[in-house]
Amino acid sequence: MKNHVPELLTIPALKAGYERKAFTPEEVLSAILSRVKAHKDNPIWIAPPEEKWLTTYLRKLPPMNFSKYPLWGIPFAIKDNIDIEGLPTTAACPAYSYMPEKSAFVVERLITAGAIPLGKTNLDQFATGLVGMRSPYGEVKNAWQPECISGGSSSGSAVSVALGQAAFSLGTDTAGSGRVPAMLNTLIGYKPPIGAWSSAGVVPACQSLDCVTVFAHSLEEVELVDQVARAVDPDCTWSRALPLKAERLPGKILLPKDTPTFYGPWAENYQRKWMHVLHLFAQSGSKIEYIDTSFFSKAASLLYDGAYVAERWADLGEFVTACEDDIFPVTKEILKSGGRKELTAARLFKDFHQLSIYRKQAKQQLENAVLVLPTAGGSFTRDEVRENPIETNSQMGLYTNHCNLLDLAAIAIPENHEDHDHPFGITFFSLHDQEQLIRALAREFLKAADTERGEGTSCIPTGNRLSTGEKK
């Protein structure tokens, strides 16, 4: 049989190919092994796909039945701070490595739905970073521009999907790690609210804020993975019931009244792309409100400039103290900052009380609304990050760090999924119990952007439809 495995591995393409017998799961996995080998100079994987490992899962694969197994035969990658039984979890730190007794709750649900786990992907060590360069296993190169950063910390997860080595992948997100790599590699990055997906079996960054996320090529694929992964886990402290509501568009779109900060060698290009985003919204006739977004930035500052960083030290401090020489230098510096003497219990409560004020403000501002921000204001070459690792990394989180602190849901989408020169993206934010708004708006924006490229017109709904909250 001739192998017709598509270069772009998407769930719909694989399902269609399986149904018409154009290829088999074995042939798909064989193609993936070849692709991984072809990109061996890019350290995407820590535990790469291996034939013996994959054969085990092929033998367990039930007969094809997409009604019963919605992810049947779909290969996915797992960030190496998420457990899967049979492979060590390293969090990109060999000295930390352990063999989990069982798979993470989310991983197990995906496998039960027929998905095939490929291996473990590279990351910024201990999920500390937004650049994809803080790993002893190597710097993950951008899928389209090898001289540039891939984004982090879920670097390998994003690049594996962009380069056709997985149909979707799991990342994690504490401060933007499931969104920044999506932008830089022209993918959809979906960050459910805290607790919608179990975080059991995940190496903690900041436990109370950590989320498991998904990277894929389309909103529909993200939603299918979410349908499988979303569930209450009785063994996860942070798990909570957050069923999706009927999809509808927001009453209004919130945009920053001040021009966002753009940075890096292509700052002007990113600013032009942001203006294109504003143009699409202006054409739509949607109800738009320009707001002061400074309180989002103030909330974000509590994560690393305040006492919240001590949560990371509470989980990893003992290991860091005992194994300093085994930790990536810049990562060690960041982790040790969580153990500073001035981060007292009183300081933590002071920050918590301030955060409560910001959360109330966010709830008032975002009720029946969606906030739109750049996913990131730019990018850098890997050389630039090596020269200035702290500041460049901080800039990548300007528009992401507030999200989990404020208990928001987020979806990062490309401004133009065909642009691989300097990809840019935007993120939609909603309250944790209003995810239906960001899904609906993302769907319409993606249609509008595609229509503009193909037909020269926008199809974001008019203000009347948005203002009525009519179900899509």
Side-chain angles (χ1 to χ4, degrees):
M1 180 185 296
K2 187 176 179 180
N3 191 331
H4 296 289
V5 177
E7 285 298 317
L8 194 67
L9 293 182
T10 68
I11 296 175
L14 290 173
K15 282 187 171 183
Y18 290 150
E19 287 177 327
R20 68 173 187 270
K21 302 188 186 306
F23 45 76
T24 64
E26 290 88 346
E27 289 173 315
V28 170
L29 296 178
S30 177
I32 288 172
L33 290 172
S34 297
R35 294 173 189 185
V36 171
K37 185 176 181 180
H39 288 94
K40 63 182 179 181
D41 62 328
N42 193 351
I44 297 167
W45 300 87
I46 291 177
E50 294 183 354
E51 187 172 354
K52 182 178 179 181
W53 167 265
L54 298 176
T55 298
T56 300
Y57 282 92
L58 283 171
R59 288 173 177 168
K60 295 178 181 178
L61 201 62
M64 184 173 64
N65 183 337
F66 289 117
S67 296
K68 189 174 182 180
Y69 307 106
L71 294 173
W72 187 89
I74 305 299
F76 73 105
I78 303 166
K79 185 177 179 179
D80 196 16
N81 62 341
I82 303 173
D83 291 345
I84 181 169
E85 185 179 2
L87 290 178
T89 299
T90 72
C93 181
Y96 184 81
S97 178
Y98 65 88
M99 187 64 74
E101 296 180 358
K102 62 179 182 179
S103 297
F105 181 83
V106 168
V107 171
E108 189 58 44
R109 287 184 65 83
L110 296 171
I111 293 171
T112 300
I116 300 174
L118 295 168
K120 307 295 286 294
T121 54
N122 203 353
L123 65 148
D124 285 314
Q125 192 174 71
F126 291 114
T128 301
L130 290 169
V131 290
M133 293 179 57
R134 299 173 171 179
S135 170
Y137 294 95
E139 301 171 358
V140 179
K141 302 172 186 176
N142 186 280
W144 316 122
Q145 303 164 295
E147 74 279 7
C148 292
I149 60 172
S150 59
S153 61
S154 309
S155 51
S157 290
V159 175
S160 67
V161 175
L163 293 179
Q165 297 179 18
F168 71 91
S169 63
L170 297 182
T172 61
D173 188 309
T174 303
S177 297
R179 291 165 276 152
V180 170
M183 174 182 125
L184 297 183
N185 297 281
T186 57
L187 299 171
I188 305 286
Y190 192 64
K191 191 214 75 68
I194 298 168
W197 294 14
S198 170
S199 58
V202 177
V203 177
C206 291
Q207 272 197 57
S208 63
L209 304 177
D210 294 341
C211 299
V212 179
T213 67
V214 59
F215 297 101
H217 290 286
S218 70
L219 181 59
E220 290 71 23
E221 292 169 277
V222 161
E223 290 173 327
L224 178 58
V225 174
D226 176 69
Q227 288 171 20
V228 174
R230 183 180 296 252
V232 173
D233 176 5
D235 296 326
C236 176
T237 301
W238 312 106
S239 181
R240 54 181 172 169
L242 285 171
L244 286 171
K245 300 174 183 176
E247 188 172 296
R248 64 179 177 86
L249 289 154
K252 58 185 174 181
I253 298 168
L254 306 179
L255 295 169
K257 68 177 183 180
D258 297 322
T259 302
T261 299
F262 297 94
Y263 50 78
W266 307 284
E268 290 184 4
N269 189 40
Y270 285 112
Q271 184 166 3
R272 283 195 298 271
K273 289 171 177 285
W274 173 248
M275 296 306 294
H276 173 244
V277 169
L278 298 184
H279 168 73
L280 282 176
F281 281 123
Q283 274 193 325
S284 72
S286 304
K287 184 178 180 180
I288 295 172
E289 182 178 331
Y290 291 89
I291 66 168
D292 179 359
T293 58
S294 60
F295 88 88
F296 291 102
S297 300
K298 291 175 182 176
S301 69
L302 295 176
L303 184 56
Y304 294 123
D305 298 335
Y308 266 81
V309 72
E311 184 175 20
R312 179 167 284 176
W313 186 251
D315 284 311
L316 297 172
E318 185 176 338
F319 174 81
V320 173
T321 301
C323 304
E324 284 194 35
D325 294 341
D326 296 308
I327 301 173
F328 208 64
V330 68
T331 307
K332 178 170 62 178
E333 179 182 346
I334 294 164
L335 291 175
K336 291 183 76 172
S337 71
R340 303 192 308 273
K341 290 182 179 180
E342 62 266 30
L343 300 183
T344 63
R347 171 70 184 276
L348 178 60
F349 275 106
K350 181 180 179 180
D351 287 354
F352 179 74
H353 296 159
Q354 186 60 51
L355 180 59
S356 297
I357 295 171
Y358 292 143
R359 284 180 173 172
K360 184 175 182 180
Q361 191 172 349
K363 183 171 178 56
Q364 293 169 342
Q365 191 95 69
L366 285 172
E367 184 62 40
N368 194 28
V370 167
L371 172 66
V372 182
L373 294 174
T375 299
S379 185
F380 299 98
T381 66
R382 291 185 290 123
D383 285 340
E384 287 173 313
V385 174
R386 287 190 212 100
E387 292 171 5
N388 191 359
I390 301 295
E391 185 179 348
T392 52
N393 186 86
S394 295
Q395 287 181 296
M396 295 304 296
L398 283 176
Y399 308 114
T400 61
N401 289 351
H402 65 276
C403 185
N404 288 355
L405 282 165
L406 295 176
D407 197 11
L408 306 180
I411 182 165
I413 64 173
E415 171 257 352
N416 178 354
H417 66 81
E418 296 177 353
D419 183 1
H420 292 170
D421 291 335
H422 297 293
F424 176 67
I426 56 176
T427 298
F428 297 153
F429 300 93
S430 74
L431 298 175
H432 73 274
D433 57 353
Q434 294 183 8
E435 285 175 272
Q436 72 276 17
L437 305 182
I438 57 173
R439 291 196 186 198
L441 189 61
R443 197 180 317 281
E444 297 302 334
F445 183 91
L446 291 167
K447 286 180 185 177
D450 286 344
T451 301
E452 183 189 55
R453 284 193 299 276
E455 302 173 16
T457 59
S458 171
C459 64
I460 297 180
T462 65
N464 287 338
R465 192 173 158 202
L466 279 170
S467 62
T468 59
E470 178 183 338
K471 182 181 175 182
K472 182 180 176 298

